[in-house]
Structures are given as structure tokens and as C-alpha cells.
Amino acid sequence: MIRALEERGIRPTLVAGTSIGALIAAAYAGGMPVDEMERRALALSKDDLFRIDHVHMVTKRMLAPSLYLAGPLDALVQAIVPPTTFRRLDTALLVNTVDLERGTQVVWGLPGLQDVPVADAVYASCALPGFFPPRVIQGRTCVDGGVMENLPLSIATQGVDAVIGVDVGSTSIAQARRIKDKGFAAIFMRSAQTMMHALQTLQITDWSGPPLMLVQPDVANVGLFTFNQTAQLIQAGYQAAGAALDEVGDALCSSGGVYPVREVELSVDRANCIGCRLCAALAPNVMTMDDTGHAVVIEPRVTWSKADGAFVHQCPTGAITAETVRNGVRRPTMKRQVLDD
């Protein structure tokens, strides 16, 4: 995304992030060139980051603070994030975390929350509960902000003309096979991802802030802990960003809405429809039930952004199809992706 923006001479006045997004945002705000970010990403391996905390798991058992040691994540953050406070950064930065004790969102970099080390906030934003220990910052026990808002759009809207949101998984979720056989960590992560997906879908569907350009790289079929497809992921982000920037036109000069938009044709496979009514409940303006108890589309042709149509994925039998229409040709725009790693 950053590379695509730079090629077009665009530099955001503010960057915000959660988890890995916070790490990248902090590196960008600190002036790290995008080539250096890419070099570091390609060099990172799973063993560099995930090292089981055997000592605490043996001595403290259920009271162990986390599955993995804090040290490797801390070292990664310290090597990338500028050694300064939010107040001293040249580019405004917001890092999204959650205070576990208070059960509240804490966004470091906002007024009154600027005089803390950026690295501490970024570590906390990356500290997925149960996987890495929390970080205490100014008396607050903070963890990954994705617990409440994985794509921190709402915190970045004050005083800006437009927002660019880069979603790498929370509003697009692949089907995971054999999840019950993959252990505690996989089950927990899948549950957390599903929760984030639901929260983010609701936020974007009801978007009422300034115009939003939503970029969703096609990465849903890559596992969250996959480190051997980094080059492909970077390319997917670059392509999605470039396509969105080319399509958005002057929409970001409008008063609101989610962009880019495209024409979509909806259809229902009656043979697969079981009449569960879920689609009609989730999208009553788009779907309804006929006299035979099957789902039908109220208006087959709709104009959608990437924030629309989440109900398509919710169909338990995959009976609903959404296809993008371009120059009279229909292309699948929402399909079931399978995560099988």
C-alpha cells in the first residue's frame, strides 16, 4: 500500500494501525523506506518470533502469562520502531491497543497519550492475548487492539478529509478445514479472527465517517502465522492498492461513503437454498423469501463497495453468488476461500 501511494506522490498526514499494522505504521512514521520494510519482512521467519515460554508453562502452569516469550517480539519491535515518543514523531501516528483490566480501547498517540515510547505501544498492539504477555504502559495492562477494533478506522477520522483503510483479513475470512485437529493455538486464533471479522463487518457496513477508500488484498486463504509467502502477500497488497487508487477517481473528495464501488449481480441457487432465512434477516433490503420458502434477490443488480455483501459469505450452503459486472461481463466477486494449512 505504501509503495502504491508513494508512486502516486501521496503521503498521508496521519497513520494508524493495530497489531502488525501498528508495526508497519510506526516504521513509516519513523521514516523507514519501503524497500527496507520489504527487506526486513522477507527476512523474518516464524522461529524469529514464536518461541514457547517453557519455563513459565512448567512453573506457573495455568498462571503462565502467555504461550510465547515476549523477548523475540520485543526485539523485532525495537529494531523497527523509532526510539522516541509519539509527540516527537514528524508524522502523526496512532497505535490501537486494549486495556485488559478496564476493558477499554486505548489509542496511543491521541492527545494526552503521546508521552510514551512508541515501541511499548506497538509491542502491546502486537501482543495477542494468550500468545504474548501484555505490556504495562502508564499503569495500563495493554494487549492487541484487534480485540476491539482490528481495522482502526474510527480513530483516524478526526479532522481528516478522507481515509484509506487497508484490511488484510478482518472483513474477509476463508473457510478453515479440520480446525478441531490443529490444537489450542489454532482454535483460539480462529475464534479471534471470527470475532474480529464480525466486529469489522459491522463497523464498515454502518460507516458514517469521511469518504473511505477500502483496500482488501486477496490474502484470506493464507494463514495468519504463515511466513513462507511473504513476497506473494506484498505483491497482493501492491496490486490491490494500485487497483483501488486507479478506480476511486475523485470519490475521496465527496462528503462520505465507501469506495471504490462497482456493479454487482446477485443470484441464488435454488437447489442449494435450504430456506434458513439467514440472508433475509441479515440483509432485508437485498434478500427476501418467496412463497416456497426459498431465498430470492429483491434487486439482482446492485452498486456495492467492498464493505457491502457480507451476508453472502454467511449462507450455510453457499447458495448465494455475487458477480462483478464489467463491460457486460460477469466475474465472481465473492467466493468461498478455503484455508487449509
Side-chain angles (χ1 to χ4, degrees):
M1 181 73 233
I2 294 170
R3 188 181 299 280
L5 288 174
E6 289 183 346
E7 289 178 352
R8 290 160 175 79
I10 301 171
R11 182 172 180 84
T13 56
L14 177 147
V15 287
T18 299
S19 196
I20 185 65
L23 183 65
I24 295 172
Y28 179 76
M32 181 177 289
V34 67
D35 286 341
E36 176 66 8
M37 294 187 205
E38 183 170 349
R39 184 191 68 79
R40 289 174 179 268
L42 292 170
L44 188 66
S45 71
K46 186 179 294 188
D47 292 338
D48 294 329
L49 193 57
F50 298 105
R51 299 179 192 172
I52 294 177
D53 187 356
H54 293 286
V55 173
H56 281 148
M57 292 183 70
V58 171
T59 60
K60 294 188 175 182
R61 297 182 181 273
M62 294 300 293
L63 293 179
S66 63
L67 181 62
Y68 297 109
L69 292 166
L73 175 58
D74 220 359
L76 174 66
V77 172
Q78 296 287 345
I80 292 175
V81 172
T84 187
T85 64
F86 287 85
R87 189 180 299 278
R88 295 179 179 177
L89 289 171
D90 292 332
T91 299
L93 170 68
L94 301 178
V95 172
N96 186 33
T97 68
V98 166
D99 182 335
L100 273 186
E101 293 183 350
R102 295 174 175 86
T104 59
Q105 190 173 14
V106 182
V107 183
W108 302 100
L110 290 175
L113 297 170
Q114 296 175 326
D115 297 313
V116 301
V118 175
D120 281 347
V122 171
Y123 170 91
S125 190
C126 293
L128 187 68
F131 281 70
F132 294 101
R135 175 62 49 87
V136 178
I137 308 173
Q138 290 187 341
R140 299 174 182 269
T141 302
C142 295
V143 296
D144 190 337
V147 171
M148 295 184 70
E149 189 177 13
N150 198 44
L151 184 60
L153 294 171
S154 61
I155 64 175
T157 60
Q158 300 300 312
V160 302
D161 299 316
V163 180
I164 297 173
V166 185
D167 169 39
V168 291
S170 62
T171 57
S172 179
I173 187 168
Q175 178 182 339
R177 289 176 174 167
R178 301 185 302 276
I179 192 68
K180 68 179 181 62
D181 301 323
K182 296 180 180 179
F184 158 78
I187 292 172
F188 178 86
M189 274 306 303
R190 182 63 178 180
S191 301
Q193 186 184 20
T194 302
M195 175 194 69
M196 295 174 188
H197 169 74
L199 290 173
Q200 205 62 65
T201 298
L202 181 63
Q203 179 195 24
I204 297 176
T205 300
D206 296 335
W207 181 253
S208 60
L212 163 65
M213 188 182 85
L214 184 61
V215 180
Q216 290 182 318
D218 186 13
V219 298
N221 61 334
V222 180
L224 294 179
F225 294 153
T226 300
F227 282 72
N228 61 358
Q229 297 185 49
T230 304
Q232 295 94 314
L233 294 174
I234 292 172
Q235 183 63 19
Y238 176 71
Q239 290 175 343
L245 287 164
D246 291 341
E247 292 175 22
V248 74
D250 59 358
L252 296 185
C253 298
S254 65
S255 60
V258 182
Y259 305 95
V261 295
R262 75 277 197 213
E263 190 176 18
V264 173
E265 184 164 307
L266 298 170
S267 61
V268 177
D269 184 341
R270 290 176 64 87
N272 285 339
C273 177
I274 58 175
C276 70
R277 298 179 177 268
L278 183 61
C279 60
L282 295 175
N285 295 327
V286 182
M287 305 296 297
T288 189
M289 308 301 292
D290 66 13
D291 293 339
T292 67
H294 290 85
V296 293
V297 182
I298 297 174
E299 179 58 54
R301 288 283 179 99
V302 293
T303 301
W304 273 358
S305 73
K306 288 185 176 293
D308 298 306
F311 71 90
V312 174
H313 174 80
Q314 296 291 340
C315 178
T317 60
I320 305 172
T321 299
E323 296 178 303
T324 300
V325 181
R326 289 179 180 168
N327 300 322
V329 179
R330 294 179 298 178
R331 297 178 177 85
T333 189
M334 290 190 179
K335 59 183 178 180
R336 286 201 170 200
Q337 294 178 297
V338 178
L339 182 60
D340 192 18
D341 69 349

